[in-house]
Amino acid sequence: MGEILSANSIEGVVRKDVPERVISRLPIYLQTVETIAATGQSTVSSETLAARSGVSSSILRKDLSQLGRSGRRGVGYSCEDLASTLRTFLGLDRARTIAIIGAGRLGSALADYAGFKRRGLSLTAIFDTDEAKIGTVIGTLPVSDLNELATWPESIDLVVMAVPATAAPAAAHIAAEAGVRGILNFAPTVLDAPDSVRVHQVDLASELQVLAYYSALESAPLNPGFEEHRN
Amino acid sequence: MGEILSANSIEGVVRKDVPERVISRLPIYLQTVETIAATGQSTVSSETLAARSGVSSSILRKDLSQLGRSGRRGVGYSCEDLASTLRTFLGLDRARTIAIIGAGRLGSALADYAGFKRRGLSLTAIFDTDEAKIGTVIGTLPVSDLNELATWPESIDLVVMAVPATAAPAAAHIAAEAGVRGILNFAPTVLDAPDSVRVHQVDLASELQVLAYYSALESAPLNPGFEEHRN
């Protein structure tokens, strides 16, 4: 991981000083600028980049200035430079290896997800504990026995957890033992993972309950901009 | 929606003054306290409630004090009272109606999601535009033609968008026209919805890129608590 660690500080910006609400927007800026660059455009204005990323242009400019990047008046940002800064900053200069745990409908659907590769992520394995699923093929990957994760020949950076709530704690334990550093948890349960593993929770019912709360508000602005969505 | 609007202020708390990072944790507290209550416990300490919700107890106490709720020293919170306060505050005193747009693998998997009903959400319809899917049954619901959404007999509060990125903008337009107030968007694209609709984005690749960023950090604490996860 030397090439990653050496990039902890780029151009004087110490990565861990950048707040998570800013970090969480960078993948979206990256996706937007790559989409724009793919159409042959070489520069993009902060207004266009902001609108297509769903944020206000003042938030966009503040976020990018934290990475030491500012647009030139009347010209905007160079697409290529900006994409490269964002990729380096996020540590996507090497592909991150992903495994999915859970080969049910959700796991299979997530395996199908378009654009892993295009976005610096490499899906390398799918695990399950169900004998009936082990050995079947999803996309191009065979489903492997979860017990093989501990001795898996490739290093796995991140896991997408797509198992029932009751199976999630044991699966998280196996992933942590195997050296996995991050878990994106779709299981509807709070995972108590060791400190070496960062867990992000995607809880469908909670997300919908938060949406329900806002949809019931009489007079609050409904689309206050992306910053407040993530705050 | 009278019963919802009248609850915009409960016990002196104006709902829209509570920050979204607090709102986003309330469904998790609700789920935890309901799980604890189901075991027959009548009170719960802030430490236990916090640990099982994945936050620090100081964050938990601060969040609940914003709703006018504080635990009693040596006793903690009454499970029943706290659950009732949280449900009322979130506007879950009536079930919110949900539709899923997209009857592919992801939409089908999300329809299977355990616990919609238990959490105040009622899945009432699944829509698609594909003739081959319309009329098939997922769980107990038949897949309906998306064009029927505009004249759907039941009011639909929220939509889960599980269609490809290219199909998402048109589907969001149809949902907005039909009076849907919130969209949970799984399509890997930023949705440009009208102001009447609140959109929350669940972007698998972006979530993984954020996790990758943190997993590459040398010395940052990896599990700084839930507040910083959502910040």
Side-chain angles (χ1 to χ4, degrees), chain A residues 26-86:
Chain A
L26 301 183
I28 299 167
Y29 301 153
L30 177 57
Q31 193 190 4
T32 306
V33 75
E34 282 178 338
T35 304
I36 291 171
T39 67
Q41 248 181 272
S42 62
T43 60
V44 61
S45 70
S46 56
E47 287 74 18
T48 302
L49 188 52
R52 294 194 44 186
S53 301
V55 302
S56 72
S57 42
S58 76
I59 288 177
L60 175 98
R61 279 191 297 261
K62 252 188 268 180
D63 286 353
L64 295 182
S65 71
Q66 294 219 33
L67 311 193
R69 277 284 166 268
S70 51
R72 279 168 55 204
R73 186 175 294 273
V75 177
Y77 298 91
S78 152
C79 292
E80 199 184 313
D81 286 358
L82 184 55
S84 156
T85 299
L86 287 165

Side-chain angles (χ1 to χ4, degrees), chain A residues 1 4-5 8 15-16 18-24 27-28 30-32 51-54 89-92 96 98 105-106 108-110 112-116 119-121 138-139 157-160 181-184 186 188-190 193-224 226 228-231, chain B residues 1 4-5 8 15-16 18-24 27-28 30-32 51-54 89-92 96 98 105-106 108-110 112-116 119-121 138-139 157-160 181-184 186 188-190 193-224 226 228-231:
Chain A
M1 310 222 307
I4 304 299
L5 299 182
N8 268 346
R15 286 172 147 192
K16 61 181 171 172
V18 179
E20 177 156 350
R21 62 173 180 279
V22 177
I23 301 294
S24 71
I28 299 167
L30 177 57
Q31 193 190 4
T32 306
R52 294 194 44 186
S53 301
F89 192 84
L90 286 168
L92 295 169
R96 292 324 177 85
I98 313 284
R105 281 219 276 205
L106 181 60
S108 308
L110 296 175
D112 265 352
Y113 185 83
F116 268 130
R119 297 184 66 186
L121 304 163
I138 294 176
D157 297 316
L158 305 171
V159 153
V160 177
R181 299 293 307 280
I183 296 176
L184 188 61
F186 279 85
T189 185
V190 175
D195 281 353
S196 59
V197 185
R198 190 178 180 95
V199 178
H200 280 206
Q201 184 75 26
V202 181
D203 177 0
L204 189 60
S206 291
E207 298 270 359
L208 286 167
Q209 288 177 339
V210 170
L211 270 177
Y213 168 82
Y214 283 101
S215 72
L217 280 187
E218 188 176 22
S219 54
L222 278 166
N223 272 322
F226 189 79
E228 285 173 63
H229 286 183
R230 298 294 303 217
N231 221 3
Chain B
M1 305 220 309
I4 305 300
L5 299 181
N8 267 347
R15 285 174 147 191
K16 61 181 173 175
V18 179
E20 179 157 349
R21 65 175 178 279
V22 177
I23 302 294
S24 71
I28 299 167
L30 177 58
Q31 193 189 5
T32 306
R52 293 193 44 185
S53 301
F89 191 85
L90 286 167
L92 296 169
R96 295 320 179 88
I98 313 285
R105 282 219 275 202
L106 182 61
S108 308
L110 296 176
D112 265 351
Y113 183 83
F116 268 131
R119 297 182 67 185
L121 304 163
I138 294 177
D157 298 314
L158 305 171
V159 152
V160 177
R181 300 292 306 279
I183 296 177
L184 187 61
F186 279 84
T189 185
V190 175
D195 281 353
S196 60
V197 185
R198 188 175 181 97
V199 179
H200 280 206
Q201 184 75 27
V202 181
D203 176 0
L204 190 61
S206 291
E207 297 271 358
L208 287 167
Q209 288 177 339
V210 170
L211 269 179
Y213 168 82
Y214 284 101
S215 72
L217 281 186
E218 190 174 21
S219 54
L222 279 166
N223 272 324
F226 189 78
E228 286 172 60
H229 287 183
R230 298 292 304 217
N231 220 4

